[in-house]
Amino acid sequence: MKTSCPTTTTLPTCIPPLISSSFPVPHHSSLMGLPRTKVLASGLLPCQQHQSHLLPVTPRPASRRPSHVWQSPQHSRSYQTASVLRSYILTPPQVNSILKANEYSFKVPEFDGKNVSSVMGFESNQLPANAPIEDRRSAATCLQTRGMLLGVFDGHAGCACAQALSERLFYYIAVSLLPHDTLCELEAAVESGRALSPILQWHKHPNDYFSREAQTLYFNSLRTYWQELIDLTSPGEVPDTREALLSAFKRLDNDISLEAQAKHPNSINYFKNVLFIANAGDARAVLGVQEEDGSFSAHTLSNDHNAQNEDEVARIRGEHPPSERKTVIRQDRLLGLLMPFRAFGDVKFKWSIELQKRVLESGPDQLHENEQTKFIPPNYHTPPYLTAEPEITYHKLRPQDRFLVIGSDGLWETLHRQEVVRIVGEYLTGVHQRQPLKVGGYRVTLGQMQGLLEERKARMSSAFEDQNVSTHLMRHAVGNNEFGTVDHERLSKMLSLPEELARMYRDDITIIVAQFNPHVIGAQRQEGQS
C-alpha cells in the first residue's frame, strides 16, 4: 500500500499467543501528508552513497505522481543533472555489498528430522530508490496455529503509513482469527495486569525499523478491536478466514483515520495448504508452478488496483454519480492524482471536505482558507473515493506449486511475471532452461553473438553466487540489459546513482520468495481425499 498504502500481505494462518513486542508508532506527518500504502507485503537505511554520476541508462517511465504535483512541500523533489555526466563503475564486491545489505532468510524448523510444514521457509530483500526507502516488509509466525504471515507494503509520498502497516496489520489479522475464548483470555490478562502471551514471532532483518514511540496508542487501538470482537462472537465460534482478513484491513484503516483526527498518524494467508490473498494496491503475488517438463509457469494470484484494471475502473465509476464520470478517473489516476485505487491511509481521498478543514484548523500549523484548498483534491464532491478494503482470492496448494513471489511494483515494472518465475525456478532447482538467445530487434554481428553466448555460459557457472533467491532476482531486475542478461556495467551504474537521481530510473524494490514443500502438500492432499 502506498502512503496510501497498497498492501499485499502473506499469511499462513498462524495465530500466536499474543503480542510479543511493543507497538511502535510511525513518524506521522501532517493530515494531508498522511502516507498511503499498497500492500501485497525496509530498512529505513538509504542507498549507500557513492561519488557517482549519471550514465547512459534510460530513465524510468513517468512517476506515478502527475507532473502538476499535489502534495505537501516537504515531499516535493527537484532533479538537476550536470551537463557532463560520467559513470562510476562499482567492483563486483561493491555491487554485492549493496545488493545483499538487506537480504534475510528464514527456514521453518524440522521436527525429528521431518519438515511437517507446507512452507519450507522464505527469503526476502529490499533495494532502495527513495531516501529513505518507502517500501516496508514484514514476516511473522502465528504462534497459535504455526501459520506464517508475509507482507510487502509499498508506501508512496512517504514511508509513515507503510511503516505503521508493517508493525500493526499482522496483529489485527491475528486477533481477527482468534477464537472467542482466546480473545476473552487476552482481555482477562490485561484486566488483571498479567503479562500477555505473544501471538506473533517476528522474523526481522536488523535494518528493519521498529518504532517505539506509539506502542501505547497501537496497543490501545488493538485492544479496543478485540473487545468489540468479543462482543460480536460467541463461545466456540471459529472465525472465517476471508471475513477475518476483510475485517482486519478495514478496521486498521479506520483506526489510522481516527488516530489522525485525534492528532496522532496485499495480504496472503496460508493455512493447511490454502492461500488467501488479500491485496489492496498494485503490489503483486505470483505463484511459480513447475510443469511436467520441468519448466516453470507463472500464475498471478492478485489483481492490480489501478486504471489498467477494467473492473476497478467500473467499480470506482459505479460508486459515484454519472456527473463525475469524466473527473473521478483522469489521466489514469484517481481524481487525476493517485495511481492506486485501493490503499491504506491517504485520508484526503476519504474524508469529507468539512472534516479535512476541521482537522487542519485544529492542527499546530493553522492554514488560511486559500491554503487549505490546496490540500483538497480537485472535483472532490462525493467522498470517499479511496478504500483499503482488500480484494481476496483463494488458492489451494498443489504439489506442482513450488514457490510464491510477493513484490512491490518496483519489481514488476522491470521484469515480466513469467521471467520472474523462470529466474526463481532455475535458481531453486539448479536447472537452466536453454531457451534461444534473444536479441530483440537489434542487429548483432557474429562476434557479438559469440560474446553473448560466452557470457551466458559464464553466467550459468556463477548463477549461484547469491545465497538468497530474492537477491538473485533483484540482481536481474536492476541489471538486465536489452538481451535479457545481467550486465555488470549496467548493474553498477544503476546502483551507483546518487539518491536524488535514483528514483528517476527505478522504484524501491521489495521481494519475498516463499518456498513450498511439495511432499507435505501431496501427502496432506491424499489424506484429505481418503
Side-chain angles (χ1 to χ4, degrees):
M1 307 177 185
K2 299 259 184 191
T3 311
S4 346
C5 282
T7 297
T8 299
T9 308
T10 298
L11 1 130
T13 307
C14 268
I15 301 155
L18 207 214
I19 303 158
S20 58
S21 55
S22 58
F23 294 75
V25 98
H27 302 295
H28 296 291
S29 50
S30 65
L31 159 67
M32 303 340 270
L34 263 182
R36 331 162 271 273
T37 299
K38 299 179 295 186
V39 183
L40 216 131
S42 89
L44 286 177
L45 300 180
C47 260
Q48 297 185 19
Q49 298 184 22
H50 300 281
Q51 298 300 318
S52 56
H53 304 279
L54 198 58
L55 28 90
V57 178
T58 305
R60 69 192 302 274
S63 166
R64 71 184 71 245
R65 304 182 189 88
S67 58
H68 51 272
V69 112
W70 177 74
Q71 55 188 25
S72 301
Q74 65 266 31
H75 294 307
S76 62
R77 178 183 295 173
S78 60
Y79 298 98
Q80 296 180 351
T81 56
S83 56
V84 178
L85 300 174
R86 300 177 181 176
S87 61
Y88 174 67
I89 304 301
L90 302 173
T91 65
Q94 288 175 318
V95 167
N96 288 338
S97 177
I98 295 172
L99 288 179
K100 298 180 179 184
N102 295 307
E103 67 180 10
Y104 182 87
S105 62
F106 175 77
K107 182 179 180 181
V108 175
E110 295 186 357
F111 300 93
D112 298 326
K114 293 182 61 178
N115 187 326
V116 295
S117 171
S118 300
V119 179
M120 299 174 67
F122 72 90
E123 296 177 341
S124 70
N125 203 347
Q126 289 189 304
L127 182 65
N130 295 287
I133 186 172
E134 295 179 347
D135 284 5
R136 293 293 183 273
R137 60 180 167 182
S138 286
T141 298
C142 289
L143 297 177
Q144 184 178 48
T145 65
R146 306 309 305 175
M148 187 173 290
L149 300 138
L150 304 173
V152 167
F153 309 90
D154 181 358
H156 57 269
C159 58
C161 190
Q163 179 64 41
L165 290 175
S166 70
E167 299 176 16
R168 303 178 70 179
L169 182 58
F170 286 0
Y171 282 121
Y172 278 67
I173 293 170
V175 164
S176 67
L177 287 167
L178 288 174
H180 177 89
D181 294 345
T182 305
L183 292 171
C184 292
E185 292 173 5
L186 289 177
E187 182 59 21
V190 176
E191 283 289 336
S192 62
R194 301 196 311 270
L196 296 177
S197 298
I199 57 171
L200 295 177
Q201 176 190 351
W202 290 95
H203 309 300
K204 287 186 173 293
H205 186 280
N207 289 350
D208 289 346
Y209 180 73
F210 202 71
S211 58
R212 299 290 176 183
E213 300 86 347
Q215 54 182 313
T216 300
L217 170 67
Y218 285 5
F219 179 80
N220 288 340
S221 294
L222 183 67
R223 184 186 179 190
T224 300
Y225 179 40
W226 83 51
Q227 288 173 336
E228 294 182 11
L229 289 174
I230 290 174
D231 294 336
L232 294 171
T233 58
S234 304
E237 184 176 343
V238 178
D240 175 76
T241 302
R242 186 179 188 279
E243 292 302 318
L245 288 169
L246 285 169
S247 175
F249 269 60
K250 295 165 70 174
R251 179 52 181 255
L252 177 54
D253 189 55
N254 183 68
D255 283 353
I256 290 173
S257 176
L258 291 174
E259 291 160 7
Q261 296 175 48
K263 306 176 190 176
H264 295 292
N266 288 235
S267 156
I268 302 162
N269 177 33
Y270 151 74
F271 181 55
K272 292 184 178 178
N273 300 338
V274 174
L275 288 173
F276 281 91
I277 297 87
N279 180 43
D282 54 11
R284 191 178 297 173
V286 174
L287 189 68
V289 181
Q290 189 166 29
E291 306 296 344
E292 292 184 359
D293 63 359
S295 64
F296 287 88
S297 61
H299 179 46
T300 304
L301 297 175
S302 62
N303 297 310
D304 295 346
H305 300 133
N306 53 34
Q308 281 62 58
N309 185 330
E310 295 181 358
D311 291 338
E312 278 294 286
V313 172
R315 178 185 66 82
I316 293 288
R317 287 179 172 159
E319 293 176 352
H320 300 277
S323 59
E324 296 186 56
R325 182 174 180 83
K326 293 183 178 180
T327 59
V328 68
I329 298 175
R330 294 174 52 248
Q331 299 177 337
D332 287 344
R333 289 174 167 83
L334 190 65
L335 296 178
L337 298 169
L338 189 64
M339 185 73 84
F341 289 174
R342 302 193 192 199
F344 281 86
D346 251 341
V347 293
K348 54 184 167 280
F349 292 92
K350 298 172 181 176
W351 290 357
S352 67
I353 292 177
E354 292 73 20
L355 177 57
Q356 294 192 36
K357 289 182 176 179
R358 186 163 65 248
V359 175
L360 282 171
E361 291 170 354
S362 65
D365 301 320
Q366 295 191 10
L367 303 177
H368 297 296
E369 180 70 22
N370 61 339
E371 294 177 317
Q372 291 179 10
T373 58
K374 296 178 182 179
F375 291 104
I376 299 173
N379 303 300
Y380 197 80
H381 306 298
T382 56
Y385 290 89
L386 186 67
T387 180
E389 179 174 328
E391 182 179 16
I392 298 177
T393 54
Y394 165 100
H395 178 79
K396 188 170 181 62
L397 288 173
R398 308 159 298 175
Q400 63 266 39
D401 298 332
R402 294 307 177 92
F403 56 85
L404 180 71
V405 180
I406 312 168
S408 58
D409 59 347
L411 171 65
W412 312 108
E413 287 174 354
T414 59
L415 291 174
H416 187 273
R417 63 181 183 275
Q418 183 57 48
E419 185 70 359
V420 167
V421 165
R422 182 191 64 80
I423 292 169
V424 173
E426 291 182 353
Y427 177 95
L428 294 177
T429 62
V431 177
H432 294 263
Q433 302 296 320
R434 297 296 190 94
Q435 299 175 349
L437 189 63
K438 297 180 180 179
V439 295
Y442 297 87
R443 291 185 177 182
V444 295
T445 64
L446 290 176
Q448 290 172 325
M449 180 63 74
Q450 181 181 358
L452 289 171
L453 291 171
E454 290 176 349
E455 179 185 342
R456 180 163 78 171
K457 181 179 179 181
R459 189 173 67 254
M460 290 176 61
S461 63
S462 62
F464 300 104
E465 63 185 51
D466 295 316
Q467 300 302 309
N468 184 302
V469 64
S470 58
T471 304
H472 184 68
L473 182 55
M474 191 173 289
R475 188 184 299 273
H476 280 264
V478 179
N480 265 20
N481 59 21
E482 62 270 25
F483 303 114
T485 62
V486 176
D487 183 292
H488 173 73
E489 183 175 356
R490 176 182 177 84
L491 181 61
S492 171
K493 290 175 178 179
M494 291 295 287
L495 294 178
S496 64
L497 289 171
E499 291 176 354
E500 66 272 14
L501 292 177
R503 186 60 180 84
M504 296 178 64
Y505 291 82
R506 60 176 178 81
D507 199 353
D508 296 330
I509 300 175
T510 299
I511 302 169
I512 297 178
V513 180
Q515 189 174 359
F516 301 125
N517 190 327
H519 305 293
V520 172
I521 293 172
Q524 292 181 352
R525 283 175 67 92
Q526 290 181 352
E527 291 176 4
Q529 295 172 357
S530 60

